[in-house]
């Protein structure tokens, strides 16, 4: 009976993965121009709209730009266009950094502590849905942290539909999710063995 439940759970998980895979096809995110950045040694910095435009430096994402050891704050920015209305959700992974996402002069999303530099920010996926906008806008990702080894390091950045982003998150964790029924089944087997009398126990004792 435990085996039947386990097989049913595995089958349900497989059907869910298949359903998600049929919801859409993968497309590369298209941005209008190249990524640029500015880094700061200060905790309090002005919003990206107040940054000197001549100071932006280009870099090749996903490579992280070279930063001096005194930097704790960084802006990444790129121009986006509303031409493709289906691609309205940003997804990326940041390690031990506080995160803000700006569209033009508006903060769309904030996660983590932007005051205490030594606080651990954790390892987190960030998914942000863009509001309706007209004309080209500056999309800016603000990062803050005291861990020099990861500052400015973001992974898996893409601009796609919400359904596609959810599917990517699920597929990323599918291995861990699929192993849960196996873990539960093993625990149940151990519990059954522990709480029942069986001739096999005598054999092991010998």
């Amino acid at each position: 009976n435990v085996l039947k439940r386990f097989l049913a759970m595995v089958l349900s998980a497989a059907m869910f993965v298949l359903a998600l895979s049929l919801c859409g096809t993968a497309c590369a995110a298209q941005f209008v121009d190249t990524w640029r950045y500015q880094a700061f040694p200060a905790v309090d910095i002005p919003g990206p709209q107040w940054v000197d435009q001549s100071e932006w430096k280009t870099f090749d994402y996903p490579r992280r730009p070279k930063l001096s050891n005194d930097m704790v704050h960084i802006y990444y920015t790129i121009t986006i266009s509303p031409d493709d209305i289906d691609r309205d959700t940003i997804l990326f992974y940041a390690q031990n950094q506080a995160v803000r996402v700006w569209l033009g002069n508006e903060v769309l999303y904030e996660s983590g502590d932007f005051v205490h530099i030594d606080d651990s920010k954790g390892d987190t996926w960030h998914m942000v849905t863009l509001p309706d906008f007209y004309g080209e806008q500056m999309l800016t990702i603000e990062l803050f942290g005291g861990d020099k080894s990861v500052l400015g390091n973001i992974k898996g950045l893409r601009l796609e539909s919400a359904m596609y982003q959810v599917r990517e998150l699920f597929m990323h964790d599918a291995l861990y999710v699929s192993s849960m029924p196996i873990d539960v089944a093993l625990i149940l087997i151990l519990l059954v063995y522990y709480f029942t009398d069986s001739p096999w126990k005598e054999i092991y004792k010998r």
Side-chain angles (χ1 to χ4, degrees):
N1 293 332
V2 172
L3 179 60
K4 289 181 179 180
R5 292 180 181 177
F6 167 70
L7 291 175
M9 293 176 69
V10 172
L11 181 60
S12 298
M15 292 178 65
F16 183 58
V17 172
L18 178 62
L20 283 176
S21 66
L22 296 175
C23 288
T25 56
C27 304
Q30 298 293 327
F31 295 98
V32 174
D33 59 8
T34 57
W35 282 97
R36 297 169 292 159
Y37 79 97
Q38 284 204 51
F40 307 86
V43 173
D44 295 323
I45 61 174
Q49 69 273 24
W50 301 110
V51 173
D52 186 350
Q53 298 300 308
S54 64
E55 296 297 323
W56 290 105
K57 303 173 184 177
T58 60
F59 73 103
D60 295 324
Y61 180 82
R63 291 184 178 180
R64 183 173 54 162
K66 294 182 179 180
L67 305 174
S68 59
N69 290 331
D70 59 339
M71 298 301 171
V72 297
H73 228 128
I74 187 169
Y75 280 139
Y76 288 158
T77 191
I78 195 169
T79 305
I80 61 172
S81 169
D83 292 342
D84 192 340
I85 60 174
D86 292 330
R87 292 175 176 166
D88 62 349
T89 304
I90 301 164
L91 177 69
F92 61 93
Y93 176 84
Q95 180 182 8
N96 203 23
Q97 301 171 85
V99 173
R100 284 194 191 107
V101 177
W102 300 70
L103 183 64
N105 301 336
E106 178 184 1
V107 176
L108 301 181
Y109 172 86
E110 182 172 327
S111 175
D113 185 354
F114 277 85
V115 177
H116 303 98
I117 191 170
D118 294 327
D119 285 359
S120 177
K121 320 297 182 185
D123 302 346
T124 310
W125 283 99
H126 303 275
M127 188 162 65
V128 185
T129 300
L130 301 177
D132 293 336
F133 64 97
Y134 302 96
E136 294 182 351
Q137 293 279 354
M138 187 169 68
L139 174 70
T140 304
I141 298 174
E142 179 182 352
L143 303 167
F144 171 72
D147 188 344
K148 310 302 181 186
S149 65
V150 298
L151 180 63
N153 189 19
I154 57 177
K155 300 178 181 179
L157 176 66
R158 60 178 64 90
L159 175 61
E160 286 291 349
S161 67
M163 176 61 72
Y164 179 82
Q165 305 290 37
V166 171
R167 186 184 66 183
E168 286 297 296
L169 278 178
F170 180 84
M171 296 302 293
H172 180 270
D173 294 332
L175 178 62
Y176 306 102
V177 174
S178 62
S179 68
M180 290 177 64
I182 300 175
D183 297 337
V184 173
L186 290 175
I187 292 172
L188 290 175
I189 292 171
L190 291 174
L191 289 174
V192 170
Y193 172 81
Y194 182 81
F195 287 107
T196 58
D197 294 328
S198 172
W200 291 103
K201 291 184 179 181
E202 298 300 325
I203 295 176
Y204 286 126
K205 288 179 181 180
R206 295 173 189 173

